[in-house]
Amino acid sequence: MHDYLTRRDYLKAAGLTLAACTVSLPATAAAAQAKPTMPNMIVIFTDDLGYGDLSSFGHPTIRTPNLDRMAAEGMKLTQFYTASAVCTPSRAGLMTGRLPIRNGMCSDKRRVLFPDSAGGLPKTEITIATALKKHGYATSCVGKWHLGHLPEFMPTNHGFDEYFGIPYSNDMKPSPLVKNLETIEEPVDQHTLTKRYTAQAERFITANKDKPFFLYFAHSFPHVPLFASKDFEGKSPRGLYGDVVEELDWSVGRILETLKKLNIDKNTVVFFTSDNGPWLTCNIRGGSAGLLRGGKGSTWEGGMRVPTVAWWPGTIKPATINTDITSTVDIFPTCLDLAGAAMPTDRIYDGFSLKETLVSGTKAERELLFYYRGTKIYAVRKGPWKLHFITQAGYRDKPHKQDPPMLFHLDHDPSEKYNIAAKHPDVVEEIIADVEKHKATVKPFPTQLEKRIPKNKKG
Ligand code: MG
């Protein structure tokens, strides 16, 4: 049995306060106060989906009607970034609201965790699930975890009531399907994965419709190898990659439909985004960053700017296009703010709450964005400007030090074509000073990605 406050309990308690307030407040203010408190929150996280892979983000042949409708009914965030251009550190940033450099979830040698890794997200880190569970939320993680597959690092030991998914990337062997801590299928049949993840997510939503919940739904696709179910295979003009993305779109449609059917859509905030840009070295099996330069593994825009939509019917103004600089590290403070939970005060956070941006359209607070690769800062964005200190063309290419650094104006030049550093030495200097200020706040945590399980032990 859960001992959460049910939504009815909570609203009953809140109703007393509201009744007292309405005596002196005008009708509109009273209505504003009646907005759902402790809304449900869902983060749908895809793997390696590029900025240009949805029809609403410009893809000419991949059809994503559900995501397009989600954007039409909600907010499209066109300058939303991940904490890293590869899986593990990106997920660490999302889950903790902190840059991976602060929790050891990055390395210059091993970019991500592998099945022989002995490390994971440190127990000292607070995940969104831990924080929300403490605040009365039911919590579930469905899909790819990739923050440590040994029991102590698994979702059920990081604040989630339940887990169902592959604990790392779908190209890593063995590929087990795990329920909580138990392997239930190995190797998993990946053709049915998106469907089974979706069924699990729908089950959790339905079971928790009367109490606040947080669902972290992290798809294993369109990371390679690509698999679609029979219903989608061979259907997209874009080929198998398109089939896979169209099935993900179907899944999003199912989730939104379930919320509507249960009549909890107005109480539920849904974010849709991706963990990093498209894996361009996979050629036709990889996605597209659209007009952005670079892809997965790179700190060019295509590596870290991802297609993002927020949906909250009745609260977010439909068809909003938000061009503020926002990030996955903003999700943690946003979720806590929406829940009415206080931020922990014993550590540094890198995110800002987007609550007012979603509710009232207020400009997001972020001015600076750091593009880390491993433990190093490769680039920095400040307002429309982006300064590159080191660049790397693709996933496996060598890094190139840019001396002097290269400067681009992203609002004018989203494809990063025209280096205008020579014309703006003052901007370059200002950003270099910002980097020094930022570095002074960072005490790097020892990397957790290089620890390995001894060969004679099974992970
Ligand atoms: Mg990824």
Side-chain angles (χ1 to χ4, degrees):
M1 264 305 282
H2 294 302
D3 56 350
Y4 310 114
L5 275 178
T6 65
R7 188 181 307 285
R8 209 185 309 134
D9 289 339
Y10 184 85
L11 293 176
K12 213 162 95 189
L16 295 173
T17 323
L18 201 67
C21 291
T22 46
V23 175
S24 55
L25 289 175
T28 47
Q33 292 225 0
K35 278 222 174 297
T37 40
M38 293 180 75
N40 309 309
M41 295 166 219
I42 301 177
V43 176
I44 303 175
F45 209 48
T46 51
D47 195 355
D48 296 2
L49 182 77
Y51 190 80
D53 282 331
L54 306 181
S55 35
S56 42
F57 278 77
H59 201 285
T61 53
I62 299 177
R63 298 159 301 194
T64 54
N66 293 295
L67 280 155
D68 302 348
R69 194 177 318 121
M70 183 179 170
E73 292 172 2
M75 178 185 284
K76 187 164 132 177
L77 295 111
T78 60
Q79 308 216 58
F80 186 93
Y81 292 87
T82 58
S84 167
V86 288
C87 298
T88 298
S90 170
R91 285 152 204 269
L94 167 73
M95 273 294 116
T96 66
R98 285 150 53 79
L99 290 171
I101 187 79
R102 300 195 198 276
N103 48 39
M105 295 305 281
C106 58
S107 156
D108 297 322
K109 289 187 189 142
R110 279 199 131 189
R111 301 280 175 205
V112 298
L113 291 166
F114 289 89
D116 70 347
S117 294
L121 186 66
K123 291 305 292 174
T124 45
E125 286 299 306
I126 302 167
T127 66
I128 302 174
T130 303
L132 291 182
K133 185 182 166 77
K134 218 170 117 190
H135 204 65
Y137 275 69
T139 54
S140 174
C141 175
V142 175
K144 174 174 170 175
W145 177 238
H146 219 180
L147 293 174
H149 73 287
L150 297 186
E152 66 263 40
F153 304 119
M154 286 288 277
T156 48
N157 286 316
H158 261 306
F160 289 97
D161 297 328
E162 51 174 61
Y163 174 61
F164 180 87
I166 306 179
Y168 34 71
S169 298
N170 66 331
D171 61 341
M172 295 176 180
K173 302 272 183 311
S175 38
L177 180 64
V178 175
K179 188 171 184 189
N180 298 326
L181 294 173
E182 192 196 335
T183 297
I184 56 169
E185 190 178 313
E186 186 182 294
V188 62
D189 175 4
Q190 296 204 38
H191 285 102
T192 58
L193 208 48
T194 299
K195 279 216 157 99
R196 282 191 285 173
Y197 282 176
T198 306
Q200 180 71 12
E202 287 181 64
R203 189 206 53 75
F204 171 77
I205 293 169
T206 306
N208 291 283
K209 65 181 171 52
D210 294 325
K211 51 188 148 201
F213 65 79
F214 170 63
L215 168 65
Y216 173 45
F217 186 178
H219 282 283
S220 288
F221 299 121
H223 192 290
V224 297
L226 301 168
F227 292 94
S229 71
K230 281 201 181 73
D231 293 343
F232 289 87
E233 209 175 39
K235 301 279 167 66
S236 170
R238 165 63 177 85
L240 184 55
Y241 186 87
D243 298 339
V244 169
V245 175
E246 291 184 10
E247 188 158 19
L248 296 176
D249 177 73
W250 162 85
S251 170
V252 170
R254 286 297 295 245
I255 298 299
L256 303 188
E257 206 43 53
T258 301
L259 296 171
K260 284 180 187 164
K261 203 175 69 197
L262 296 171
N263 202 22
I264 55 172
D265 52 319
K266 290 191 172 61
N267 273 342
T268 307
V269 193
V270 184
F271 294 99
F272 173 92
T273 187
S274 175
D275 71 332
N276 51 249
W279 205 345
L280 299 178
T281 49
C282 293
N283 301 323
I284 206 70
R285 288 173 300 124
S288 163
L291 85 173
L292 304 180
R293 185 169 173 177
K296 176 176 179 170
S298 162
T299 46
W300 293 106
E301 288 295 287
M304 289 172 63
R305 201 195 293 195
V306 282
T308 304
V309 180
W311 185 84
W312 190 1
T315 299
I316 294 176
K317 195 168 160 245
T320 305
I321 296 176
N322 181 293
T323 61
D324 301 340
I325 307 167
T326 48
S327 164
T328 46
V329 295
D330 299 334
I331 300 283
F332 182 106
T334 304
C335 288
L336 268 65
D337 198 5
L338 289 167
M343 285 290 286
T345 53
D346 63 343
R347 59 198 69 203
I348 291 176
Y349 280 91
D350 297 290
F352 299 91
S353 171
L354 300 174
K355 182 184 169 188
E356 286 310 314
T357 305
L358 302 175
V359 172
S360 329
T362 310
K363 192 174 179 349
E365 268 182 72
R366 178 180 298 284
E367 195 193 4
L368 281 167
L369 185 98
F370 297 94
Y371 301 67
Y372 273 89
R373 192 176 200 277
T375 63
K376 295 187 181 71
I377 296 174
Y378 272 39
V380 179
R381 177 164 187 179
K382 184 174 195 179
W385 304 99
K386 180 173 174 185
L387 191 67
H388 289 267
F389 300 105
I390 310 172
T391 56
Q392 189 155 16
Y395 192 66
R396 296 188 208 289
D397 295 317
K398 289 215 164 1
H400 295 281
K401 193 160 190 269
Q402 298 296 339
D403 191 14
M406 290 195 292
L407 183 73
F408 297 90
H409 190 291
L410 293 180
D411 285 353
H412 297 169
D413 176 23
S415 307
E416 299 172 278
K417 286 181 184 165
Y418 312 108
N419 175 14
I420 46 175
K423 281 189 193 154
H424 300 278
D426 50 330
V427 177
V428 173
E429 284 311 308
E430 201 182 304
I431 295 178
I432 289 171
D434 288 325
V435 172
E436 291 312 311
K437 267 187 245 160
H438 167 75
K439 278 186 178 166
T441 75
V442 177
K443 191 174 158 217
F445 193 93
T447 181
Q448 304 300 300
L449 305 195
E450 292 167 24
K451 297 177 181 174
R452 297 192 196 205
I453 298 166
K455 284 230 162 63
N456 54 353
K457 274 192 180 175
K458 193 174 181 278

